[in-house]
């Protein structure tokens, strides 16, 4: 009798214990593949840098550079900076032209992640969004990532640093300069030619201009993208002029769109730079030529010669150094009224 009761107790106790013990995680049967886990976001990028750290040299770097395209003078100077500086420093550059197509640029990024030779990826982003997954994949693959030219909206733990202009400040400078041009003008209607609307350069220049335009009573009466191009800058301005000629200044977010607007003003019988002031951004050779001809009043500089800073940052990161998350390029403002304008123009690289 006692034995039966004892056995029953053992059975009951073992049932109670089984109910409290968590089920062991089923290990995948050898024939089943474990489900692929999404790439984890590293809390911080690996600080160790590349395998050659802390003695990496430029010759150890194989840089995959994702360029936006070849839309104008600024871009040509930026590309030349990367190609010429790579040769001077002795690093290997793999150049990818995204042809101003975001899908192509993302595909190029993935290509560099898969490329076993590439240990550094440099991105000049066509748009601010859509980069998190490729950045996570690049980090997981141990690639150094440096953002140049245009900032992106992504956690800054996913890239080493951003080297590029303060576009908001360029917008503020543009408004201040147009305020100065219009100081004796009773009316202050301004037309804005916008770059690629998804790009940080377009978003931020527009933001900065709007922060300061109220200082002198500017009103933006027309604003439209002309996608950084001379042709579209002319077409958009022509369409506006057909509607009205009540404009006192044009804010073109880059030189090419400003040059297009100048053509449209001339064909409408107006004197650009005199009847209608024109300001653009970049300070490329075309802008200096137009200022010397008196058709452009101001160009706000945006430095395209970023490769030396970018490669230096990449080498530091390769050697495991922690970098500031943004290195802003230093820039000025050039005016048609500058007495030394010809000498300045002759001394510039682009
Ligand atoms: O202003 C424009 C080019 O990202 C700063 O892109 C660059 C801009 C520049 O298309 O000319």
């Amino acid at each position: 009798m006692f034995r039966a009761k004892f056995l029953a107790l053992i059975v009951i106790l073992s049932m109670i214990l089984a109910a409290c013990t968590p089920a062991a995680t089923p290990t995948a049967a050898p024939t089943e593949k474990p489900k692929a886990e999404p790439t984890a976001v590293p809390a911080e990028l690996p600080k160790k840098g590349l395998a050659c750290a802390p003695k990496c040299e430029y010759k150890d770097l194989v840089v995959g550079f994702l360029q936006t395209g070849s839309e104008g003078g600024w871009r040509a100077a930026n590309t030349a900076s990367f190609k010429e500086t790579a040769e001077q420093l002795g690093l290997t550059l793999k150049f990818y032209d995204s042809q101003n197509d975001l899908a192509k640029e993302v595909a190029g990024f993935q290509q560099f992640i898969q490329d076993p030779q590439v240990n550094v990826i440099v991105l000049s982003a066509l748009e601010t969004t859509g980069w998190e997954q490729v950045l996570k994949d690049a980090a997981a693959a141990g690639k150094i990532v440096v953002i140049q030219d245009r900032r992106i909206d992504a956690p800054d733990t996913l890239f080493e640093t951003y080297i590029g202009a303060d576009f908001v400040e360029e917008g503020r400078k543009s408004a201040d300069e147009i305020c100065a041009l219009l100081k004796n003008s009773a009316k202050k209607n301004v037309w804005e030619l916008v770059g690629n609307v998804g790009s940080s350069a377009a978003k931020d220049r527009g933001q900065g201009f709007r922060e300061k335009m109220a200082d002198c009573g500017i009103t933006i009466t027309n604003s439209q993208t002309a996608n950084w191009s001379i042709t579209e800058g002319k077409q958009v301005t022509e369409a506006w002029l057909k509607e009205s000629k009540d404009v006192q200044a044009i804010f073109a977010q880059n030189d090419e769109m400003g040059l297009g607007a100048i053509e449209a003003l001339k064909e409408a019988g107006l004197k650009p730079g005199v009847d209608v002031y024109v300001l653009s951004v970049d300070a490329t050779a075309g802008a200096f030529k137009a200022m010397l001809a008196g058709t452009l009043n101001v160009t706000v500089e945006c430095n395209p010669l970023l490769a030396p800073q970018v490669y230096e940052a990449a080498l530091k990161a390769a050697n495991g150094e922690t970098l500031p998350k943004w290195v802003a390029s230093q820039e000025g403002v050039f005016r048609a009224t500058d007495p030394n304008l010809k000498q300045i123009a002759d001394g510039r690289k682009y």
Side-chain angles (χ1 to χ4, degrees), residues 39 64 92 125 128 130-131 138 160 202 216 248 250 295 316 324 342 346:
T39 310
T92 303
T128 52
W131 299 105
E160 299 296 338
C216 69
Q248 283 71 51
I250 291 177
T295 56
K316 286 180 176 175
K342 180 74 172 63
D346 291 345

Side-chain angles (χ1 to χ4, degrees), residues 1-303:
M1 184 59 175
F2 170 75
R3 184 177 163 72
K5 281 183 180 173
F6 178 71
L7 285 175
L9 181 61
I10 293 299
V11 168
I12 290 164
L13 279 175
S14 58
M15 284 170 71
I16 291 167
L17 274 176
C20 300
T21 308
T25 309
T27 49
T31 51
E32 290 167 33
K33 282 203 178 102
K35 290 187 179 60
E37 292 295 320
T39 310
V41 178
E44 282 293 327
L45 291 165
K47 284 288 167 290
K48 67 181 185 327
L50 299 178
C52 50
K55 294 185 176 157
C56 300
E57 298 174 22
Y58 281 120
K59 65 177 174 52
D60 300 315
L61 301 186
V62 179
V63 176
F65 175 36
L66 298 154
Q67 183 56 294
T68 57
S70 53
E71 69 274 14
W74 191 97
R75 193 59 55 191
N78 186 243
T79 293
S81 175
F82 275 84
K83 290 182 175 176
E84 289 165 10
T85 309
E87 209 164 309
Q88 290 156 9
L89 298 176
L91 60 84
T92 303
L93 177 68
K94 293 192 173 191
F95 181 83
Y96 180 92
D97 178 352
S98 306
Q99 298 172 342
N100 284 300
D101 177 322
L102 184 60
K104 285 196 173 84
E105 191 164 47
V106 173
F109 202 125
Q110 290 161 339
Q111 191 181 305
F112 283 144
I113 292 171
Q114 302 305 323
D115 184 335
Q117 289 184 320
V118 171
N119 49 28
V120 175
I121 296 174
V122 176
L123 171 66
S124 186
L126 276 163
E127 308 233 348
T128 52
T129 55
W131 299 105
E132 276 203 44
Q133 189 54 54
V134 285
L135 288 169
K136 291 175 197 171
D137 295 346
K143 311 266 180 171
I144 302 277
V145 177
V146 175
I147 310 298
Q148 78 102 20
D149 167 24
R150 297 187 180 162
R151 66 166 182 77
I152 58 173
D153 294 331
D156 66 14
T157 51
L158 291 175
F159 54 87
E160 299 296 338
T161 187
Y162 159 53
I163 293 178
D166 182 344
F167 299 129
V168 177
E169 183 57 22
E170 290 172 356
R172 294 189 192 107
K173 287 178 185 174
S174 299
D176 287 343
E177 291 297 322
I178 290 183
C179 279
L181 289 167
L182 295 178
K183 66 182 181 301
N184 298 320
S185 174
K187 300 180 84 173
K188 303 187 180 191
N189 295 328
V190 170
W191 294 351
E192 179 188 38
L193 293 165
V194 181
N196 169 318
V197 292
S199 71
S200 56
K203 290 177 180 179
D204 295 356
R205 285 172 184 163
Q207 176 192 326
F209 191 91
R210 283 159 178 76
E211 282 178 8
K212 296 284 279 182
M213 69 184 203
D215 290 5
C216 69
I218 285 172
T219 305
I220 294 178
T221 51
N222 276 317
S223 176
Q224 187 178 327
T225 185
N227 285 308
W228 307 122
S229 92
I230 294 180
T231 307
E232 289 193 45
K234 180 178 179 184
Q235 288 167 347
V236 170
T237 307
E238 277 170 346
W240 287 340
L241 287 167
K242 286 194 179 98
E243 297 294 316
S244 163
K245 292 186 178 176
D246 185 13
V247 58
Q248 283 71 51
I250 291 177
F251 165 44
Q253 290 189 354
N254 84 330
D255 291 339
E256 279 76 14
M257 295 187 290
L259 296 177
I262 286 167
E263 286 312 306
L265 290 167
K266 283 180 185 171
E267 289 178 12
L270 295 167
K271 288 186 192 141
V274 179
D275 299 333
V276 180
Y277 294 120
V278 184
L279 174 143
S280 60
V281 184
D282 278 348
T284 55
F288 280 88
K289 189 175 170 196
M291 286 195 291
L292 289 166
T295 56
L296 180 72
N297 301 94
V298 179
T299 184
V300 174
E301 185 180 32
C302 180
N303 180 10

Side-chain angles (χ1 to χ4, degrees), residues 321-335:
E321 290 185 40
T322 300
L323 304 174
K325 285 302 178 180
W326 178 17
V327 180
S329 27
Q330 302 306 319
E331 299 157 344
V333 176
F334 298 96
R335 304 171 186 88

